[in-house]
Amino acid sequence: PADVGGNVARFPGLDAAHSALLGRLLAGDGLDRAELDDIAKDLRLLPDGAIERINDWGFDRFEEALIEEDDRVTIPGHLREALREAEAAE
């Protein structure tokens, strides 16, 4: 995986910053929108653009969006496992 600015591109097809954001979502049970916004800004990403980019990547890989937004920003359970497999394949 490529290392850019201390962040490693963990998911093929996503750059290091988007990979880091996706990794943070995958690591827990989701984030409050304010938390996601703060993490995205720390990674020098626009939050809505980052969600769109990750969801576009998800459609290409899994034929569905990866990120769901309700009370929290989350990744559906069945996609969490698919993402872990994609990450392990690298």
Side-chain angles (χ1 to χ4, degrees), residues 2 11-12 14-15 24-25 30 40 46-49 51 56 58 61-62 66 77 79 81:
F11 302 98
L14 284 178
D15 63 30
R24 288 290 297 272
L25 277 167
L46 296 172
D48 290 330
I51 290 170
D56 286 347
R61 294 288 290 233
F62 308 109
L66 291 177
L79 289 173
E81 186 58 36

Side-chain angles (χ1 to χ4, degrees), residues 8-83:
V8 176
R10 297 167 46 188
F11 302 98
L14 284 178
D15 63 30
H18 288 91
S19 288
L21 182 59
L22 181 54
R24 288 290 297 272
L25 277 167
L26 190 57
D29 64 346
L31 299 168
D32 291 331
R33 180 58 198 241
E35 291 175 295
L36 181 130
D37 289 354
D38 289 344
I39 293 166
K41 288 174 188 168
D42 288 346
L43 293 167
R44 299 180 188 266
L45 298 171
L46 296 172
D48 290 330
I51 290 170
E52 184 176 341
R53 172 69 186 100
I54 292 168
N55 278 339
D56 286 347
W57 181 83
F59 273 108
D60 290 343
R61 294 288 290 233
F62 308 109
E63 299 183 354
E64 60 185 298
L66 291 177
I67 298 174
E68 294 181 342
E69 290 186 82
D70 288 315
D71 294 336
R72 294 177 63 78
V73 182
T74 59
I75 299 171
H78 68 285
L79 289 173
R80 294 171 81 70
E81 186 58 36
L83 281 168

